[in-house]
Amino acid sequence: MRIRKRQNGKWQVEIRIHRQNISKTFADKKSCIQFGNSVEKQLRTFNTTKDMSTTVEQVIHKYIDDFSIHRKQSANEIRKWNKIIRDYPWLVRLSLAEITGEHFLRFREKRLKDGSRALNQDLSLFSVMFKKVINVYGFPLQNNPVAHIERAKENTYGRRRIITRREYKVFLESQEPYRLFFLLARNIGARPFSEITNFRWADFDNINNCLYVRSGKTNNATRTIPLTKYLVKQIEKNKNNNSEYIIPKSKIAIHKKFARLTNKYAIDDLQIYDFRRQFVRDLVERDMPIRKIARLTGHSWSSAFRLTELYSGEKHLRKFGH
């Protein structure tokens, strides 16, 4: 364990055990010592127990405590692990002595129904975890059971689901604040849950007709989203919701409302994120330069470049890309 004081006055602790490097920054040295001792004890204790009857679920929980919670995107990774435990009990209840690549072929077949990206992300999680199981925890697995599982091919043309006028009207006829959520998702291109549901009234500027994104997905500097006069009026209608948030609904509540509407009106193969995709597609079809698309949507340059390529092809790239 190594502890050092950084130039900004904070303290950093670094733990290296069995080729695994874990570091974390604290405001004081005492917290570094407590964290370092705790992590070292957990890793060393678990490493001495190499019982192959240990289940995959037990390893996942241990992996979350030792590694996942220390990552920048810890909440998202933990959510994925919890979904795997909840949806695939037949897999996670297998012991390390039983688990083989054939089980992950079965997992691949079932998970592929949720999309190529979802499958590939889960396989990557498992691959990294089993590397820790072998190299850090010291379990005598002969090989990584996920190593030779073929990843699904991404759709090179992107998701092409178009929201029709009839479908869009269904969501605009829902009660507030759900109506406002779908209206903003379609017309300002903000991320549905990391941005729209986090908009506070303090982020709404009805003088300059804009919204300020202060905590986006990539934690970049504040982004300004311009609003039409119509959208400003629609937001102002919700000012008396007795909440600091413009959309005072949780992600779960919005998903349930979305599911009820799609089931009631037989709307197939639609995702909430398709509202944002439709907005980006409209920008591309209007021949908007890539850098401006990136500024409006909060994408990195490379992501906006790829989206533009998916939605319009090389002609747009030759015109604005270089």
Side-chain angles (χ1 to χ4, degrees), residues 29-187:
K29 185 176 181 180
K30 183 178 179 181
S31 298
C32 287
I33 296 174
Q34 291 177 344
F35 173 81
N37 290 337
S38 175
V39 171
E40 279 190 343
K41 183 178 179 181
Q42 290 177 356
L43 291 177
R44 294 186 188 281
T45 300
F46 196 72
N47 192 52
T48 59
T49 307
K50 301 177 182 178
D51 186 358
M52 292 296 286
S53 64
T54 302
T55 65
V56 174
E57 183 176 359
Q58 289 174 323
V59 175
I60 289 174
H61 287 302
K62 183 64 180 175
Y63 178 82
I64 290 174
D65 292 338
D66 292 342
F67 302 103
S68 296
I69 61 173
H70 305 304
R71 296 199 171 100
K72 184 177 181 180
Q73 300 293 332
S74 61
N76 188 42
E77 183 170 318
I78 292 171
R79 178 185 59 79
K80 291 177 182 177
W81 280 126
N82 289 334
K83 177 176 174 58
I84 291 172
I85 293 172
R86 182 180 67 251
D87 295 348
Y88 302 95
W90 59 269
L91 177 67
V92 299
R93 290 174 184 171
L94 293 170
S95 69
L96 293 178
E98 298 171 319
I99 197 76
T100 64
E102 293 182 0
H103 296 109
F104 282 99
L105 287 175
R106 179 185 171 191
F107 171 78
R108 183 186 188 279
E109 180 181 354
K110 294 182 178 296
R111 188 65 167 117
L112 191 57
K113 296 177 182 178
D114 298 325
S116 301
R117 186 178 182 184
L119 169 65
N120 292 341
Q121 288 177 345
D122 285 357
L123 289 178
S124 295
L125 283 177
F126 274 115
S127 179
V128 173
M129 186 193 75
F130 279 111
K131 287 179 182 178
K132 304 299 184 189
V133 167
I134 297 171
N135 298 326
V136 178
Y137 296 150
F139 283 94
L141 285 177
Q142 292 184 353
N143 50 55
N144 187 332
V146 191
H148 302 294
I149 303 300
E150 182 182 3
R151 279 16 179 203
K153 294 182 179 179
E154 297 282 351
N155 182 0
T156 57
Y157 299 100
R159 181 172 169 82
R160 306 294 295 183
R161 179 62 161 88
I162 305 296
I163 303 174
T164 66
R165 290 186 178 182
R166 181 191 74 83
E167 292 170 342
Y168 186 43
K169 185 178 179 181
V170 166
F171 295 99
L172 292 188
E173 290 177 350
S174 56
Q175 72 271 29
E176 299 289 2
Y178 296 107
R179 177 183 180 277
L180 181 60
F181 171 84
F182 294 119
L183 187 68
L184 294 178
R186 172 63 182 85
N187 291 284

Side-chain angles (χ1 to χ4, degrees), residues 258-322:
F258 180 79
R260 286 195 297 269
L261 290 173
T262 52
N263 291 334
K264 181 178 179 179
Y265 294 95
I267 300 175
D268 297 326
D269 190 33
L270 186 66
Q271 301 173 2
I272 292 178
Y273 227 82
D274 285 330
F275 288 87
R276 173 171 158 87
R277 295 187 182 103
Q278 185 82 47
F279 175 81
V280 177
R281 189 178 293 109
D282 289 348
L283 297 182
V284 173
E285 290 176 353
R286 284 159 48 191
D287 279 346
M288 182 173 287
I290 297 176
R291 291 193 183 279
K292 192 169 183 179
I293 293 176
R295 286 197 301 269
L296 283 174
T297 60
H299 280 115
S300 64
W301 160 257
S302 59
S303 296
F305 190 92
R306 179 176 177 272
L307 286 173
T308 305
E309 185 180 33
L310 291 176
Y311 292 144
S312 68
E314 294 181 356
K315 180 179 179 181
H316 187 96
L317 297 184
R318 286 196 297 269
K319 187 174 181 181
F320 294 111
H322 300 285

Side-chain angles (χ1 to χ4, degrees), residues 233-248:
K233 290 181 180 179
Q234 298 306 308
I235 295 174
E236 288 178 336
K237 285 182 180 179
N238 287 264
K239 263 196 170 178
N240 297 322
N241 60 20
N242 298 321
S243 172
E244 64 174 318
Y245 293 96
I246 295 177
I247 308 292

